[in-house]
mmCIF file of all heavy atoms in Angstrom:
data_model
loop_
_atom_site.group_PDB
_atom_site.id
_atom_site.type_symbol
_atom_site.label_atom_id
_atom_site.label_comp_id
_atom_site.label_asym_id
_atom_site.label_seq_id
_atom_site.Cartn_x
_atom_site.Cartn_y
_atom_site.Cartn_z
ATOM 1 N N SER A 106 88.654 93.273 88.305
ATOM 2 C CA SER A 106 89.981 93.726 88.828
ATOM 3 C C SER A 106 89.944 93.848 90.267
ATOM 4 O O SER A 106 88.921 94.098 90.795
ATOM 5 C CB SER A 106 90.241 94.981 88.167
ATOM 6 O OG SER A 106 89.349 95.960 88.376
ATOM 7 N N LYS A 107 91.056 93.758 90.903
ATOM 8 C CA LYS A 107 91.341 93.961 92.337
ATOM 9 C C LYS A 107 92.211 95.121 92.522
ATOM 10 O O LYS A 107 92.380 95.993 91.674
ATOM 11 C CB LYS A 107 91.726 92.751 93.057
ATOM 12 C CG LYS A 107 90.720 91.559 93.033
ATOM 13 C CD LYS A 107 91.202 90.388 93.851
ATOM 14 C CE LYS A 107 90.113 89.311 93.895
ATOM 15 N NZ LYS A 107 90.444 88.225 94.775
ATOM 16 N N HIS A 108 92.920 95.088 93.713
ATOM 17 C CA HIS A 108 93.750 96.286 94.060
ATOM 18 C C HIS A 108 95.087 96.433 93.198
ATOM 19 O O HIS A 108 95.618 97.498 93.158
ATOM 20 C CB HIS A 108 94.128 96.114 95.543
ATOM 21 C CG HIS A 108 94.505 97.460 96.105
ATOM 22 N ND1 HIS A 108 93.744 98.546 96.348
ATOM 23 C CD2 HIS A 108 95.623 97.904 96.545
ATOM 24 C CE1 HIS A 108 94.293 99.550 96.872
ATOM 25 N NE2 HIS A 108 95.574 99.180 96.985
ATOM 26 N N GLY A 109 95.358 95.485 92.443
ATOM 27 C CA GLY A 109 96.608 95.563 91.583
ATOM 28 C C GLY A 109 96.271 95.999 90.220
ATOM 29 O O GLY A 109 96.968 95.578 89.283
ATOM 30 N N LEU A 110 95.306 96.868 90.158
ATOM 31 C CA LEU A 110 94.860 97.355 88.821
ATOM 32 C C LEU A 110 95.893 97.789 87.855
ATOM 33 O O LEU A 110 95.851 97.396 86.635
ATOM 34 C CB LEU A 110 93.814 98.484 89.078
ATOM 35 C CG LEU A 110 93.222 99.265 87.912
ATOM 36 C CD1 LEU A 110 92.353 98.251 87.183
ATOM 37 C CD2 LEU A 110 92.525 100.382 88.353
ATOM 38 N N PRO A 111 96.920 98.607 88.190
ATOM 39 C CA PRO A 111 97.980 99.010 87.218
ATOM 40 C C PRO A 111 98.653 97.813 86.572
ATOM 41 O O PRO A 111 99.057 97.948 85.387
ATOM 42 C CB PRO A 111 98.986 99.908 87.930
ATOM 43 C CG PRO A 111 98.028 100.332 89.227
ATOM 44 C CD PRO A 111 97.196 99.245 89.555
ATOM 45 N N LEU A 112 98.848 96.713 87.350
ATOM 46 C CA LEU A 112 99.609 95.553 86.771
ATOM 47 C C LEU A 112 98.557 94.701 85.909
ATOM 48 O O LEU A 112 98.898 94.209 84.960
ATOM 49 C CB LEU A 112 100.283 94.755 87.899
ATOM 50 C CG LEU A 112 101.487 95.454 88.384
ATOM 51 C CD1 LEU A 112 102.134 94.531 89.562
ATOM 52 C CD2 LEU A 112 102.553 95.580 87.416
ATOM 53 N N SER A 113 97.390 94.349 86.502
ATOM 54 C CA SER A 113 96.426 93.498 85.768
ATOM 55 C C SER A 113 95.763 94.149 84.672
ATOM 56 O O SER A 113 95.398 93.318 83.733
ATOM 57 C CB SER A 113 95.414 93.019 86.818
ATOM 58 O OG SER A 113 94.563 94.066 87.325
ATOM 59 N N HIS A 114 95.566 95.432 84.621
ATOM 60 C CA HIS A 114 94.998 96.147 83.599
ATOM 61 C C HIS A 114 95.657 97.411 83.083
ATOM 62 O O HIS A 114 95.132 98.300 82.620
ATOM 63 C CB HIS A 114 93.569 96.588 84.045
ATOM 64 C CG HIS A 114 92.705 95.377 84.388
ATOM 65 N ND1 HIS A 114 92.772 94.634 85.506
ATOM 66 C CD2 HIS A 114 91.470 95.064 83.707
ATOM 67 C CE1 HIS A 114 91.777 93.752 85.533
ATOM 68 N NE2 HIS A 114 91.030 93.939 84.433
ATOM 69 N N GLY A 115 96.983 97.280 83.060
ATOM 70 C CA GLY A 115 97.886 98.285 82.625
ATOM 71 C C GLY A 115 97.545 98.940 81.209
ATOM 72 O O GLY A 115 97.420 100.083 81.100
ATOM 73 N N ASN A 116 97.416 98.051 80.221
ATOM 74 C CA ASN A 116 97.118 98.608 78.948
ATOM 75 C C ASN A 116 95.728 99.229 78.873
ATOM 76 O O ASN A 116 95.557 100.397 78.286
ATOM 77 C CB ASN A 116 97.068 97.402 77.911
ATOM 78 C CG ASN A 116 98.487 96.937 77.639
ATOM 79 O OD1 ASN A 116 99.587 97.648 77.783
ATOM 80 N ND2 ASN A 116 98.624 95.682 77.210
ATOM 81 N N ALA A 117 94.810 98.827 79.448
ATOM 82 C CA ALA A 117 93.499 99.375 79.558
ATOM 83 C C ALA A 117 93.481 100.716 80.232
ATOM 84 O O ALA A 117 92.965 101.750 79.917
ATOM 85 C CB ALA A 117 92.434 98.514 80.102
ATOM 86 N N CYS A 118 94.298 100.749 81.415
ATOM 87 C CA CYS A 118 94.564 102.062 82.117
ATOM 88 C C CYS A 118 95.088 103.119 81.279
ATOM 89 O O CYS A 118 94.684 104.224 81.260
ATOM 90 C CB CYS A 118 95.328 101.834 83.341
ATOM 91 S SG CYS A 118 94.481 100.895 84.816
ATOM 92 N N ALA A 119 96.133 102.688 80.489
ATOM 93 C CA ALA A 119 96.778 103.579 79.717
ATOM 94 C C ALA A 119 95.976 104.167 78.614
ATOM 95 O O ALA A 119 95.991 105.289 78.263
ATOM 96 C CB ALA A 119 98.137 102.924 79.079
ATOM 97 N N ARG A 120 95.147 103.261 78.042
ATOM 98 C CA ARG A 120 94.241 103.715 76.868
ATOM 99 C C ARG A 120 93.239 104.724 77.425
ATOM 100 O O ARG A 120 92.943 105.788 76.821
ATOM 101 C CB ARG A 120 93.412 102.560 76.293
ATOM 102 C CG ARG A 120 92.559 102.871 75.203
ATOM 103 C CD ARG A 120 91.745 101.571 74.653
ATOM 104 N NE ARG A 120 91.189 100.679 75.616
ATOM 105 C CZ ARG A 120 90.160 100.838 76.291
ATOM 106 N NH1 ARG A 120 89.454 102.005 76.104
ATOM 107 N NH2 ARG A 120 89.738 100.027 77.224
ATOM 108 N N ILE A 121 92.607 104.450 78.593
ATOM 109 C CA ILE A 121 91.647 105.264 79.302
ATOM 110 C C ILE A 121 92.303 106.621 79.571
ATOM 111 O O ILE A 121 91.682 107.752 79.423
ATOM 112 C CB ILE A 121 91.001 104.647 80.514
ATOM 113 C CG1 ILE A 121 90.273 103.464 80.121
ATOM 114 C CG2 ILE A 121 90.119 105.610 81.309
ATOM 115 C CD1 ILE A 121 89.014 103.646 79.205
ATOM 116 N N LEU A 122 93.435 106.616 80.166
ATOM 117 C CA LEU A 122 94.213 107.894 80.386
ATOM 118 C C LEU A 122 94.450 108.663 79.189
ATOM 119 O O LEU A 122 94.225 109.871 79.095
ATOM 120 C CB LEU A 122 95.486 107.570 81.137
ATOM 121 C CG LEU A 122 96.404 108.717 81.514
ATOM 122 C CD1 LEU A 122 95.748 109.765 82.282
ATOM 123 C CD2 LEU A 122 97.604 108.345 82.066
ATOM 124 N N LYS A 123 94.882 107.991 78.148
ATOM 125 C CA LYS A 123 95.118 108.725 76.828
ATOM 126 C C LYS A 123 93.831 109.357 76.365
ATOM 127 O O LYS A 123 93.735 110.492 75.963
ATOM 128 C CB LYS A 123 95.685 107.759 75.824
ATOM 129 C CG LYS A 123 96.023 108.405 74.570
ATOM 130 C CD LYS A 123 96.632 107.445 73.404
ATOM 131 C CE LYS A 123 97.007 108.086 72.192
ATOM 132 N NZ LYS A 123 97.438 107.137 71.231
#
Side-chain angles (χ1 to χ4, degrees):
S106 61
K107 291 187 179 184
H108 199 69
L110 178 65
L112 285 177
S113 65
H114 293 71
N116 289 337
C118 288
R120 180 180 48 76
I121 296 296
L122 176 58
K123 183 178 179 181

